[in-house]
Amino acid sequence: AEGLGLESALVLNIHGKAVKYYDDGVSAMNQGDWMKAQKALTNAVSIRPKYAAAWYMQGQLWEKQGKYTKAIEQYTQALQANDRYKEA
């Protein structure tokens, strides 16, 4: 990205990859492909740990499967990533 330092460009690239994983995860969830969704959302938070929306969607994924303890863990992660994340 012109005008940005290398560090800023790398951060933008990481955020872009995390968003792509997030989008893939949401799409897989909408298609009922839980395993693909979980893998994509896990990848999103592994490269961007403060990605509250991705943590939240993982909570939604677990909740849809009736795994409420896991869902609460993910919602908690969303709040730890952003304590103003109102969805969690």
Side-chain angles (χ1 to χ4, degrees):
E2 193 172 326
L4 294 175
L6 180 59
E7 185 176 320
S8 295
L10 289 173
V11 167
L12 287 175
N13 187 41
I14 287 169
H15 288 310
K17 284 182 180 179
V19 170
K20 169 88 171 80
Y21 282 130
Y22 173 83
D23 289 344
D24 290 349
V26 171
S27 177
M29 274 181 73
N30 290 335
Q31 296 169 11
D33 188 342
W34 306 133
M35 289 182 65
K36 184 176 180 183
Q38 185 62 45
K39 183 175 182 182
L41 293 168
T42 298
N43 284 335
V45 297
S46 72
I47 61 174
R48 189 173 163 200
K50 296 278 185 189
Y51 199 170
W55 286 113
Y56 174 78
M57 288 308 293
Q58 284 192 81
Q60 290 284 288
L61 181 63
W62 288 114
E63 190 172 331
K64 287 178 186 293
Q65 297 173 74
K67 304 207 174 168
Y68 302 110
T69 301
K70 291 289 278 184
I72 290 169
E73 290 171 8
Q74 303 309 303
Y75 294 143
T76 301
Q77 288 288 343
L79 289 170
Q80 288 175 350
N82 180 352
D83 63 4
R84 287 184 266 178
Y85 193 72
K86 66 182 184 301
E87 284 81 359

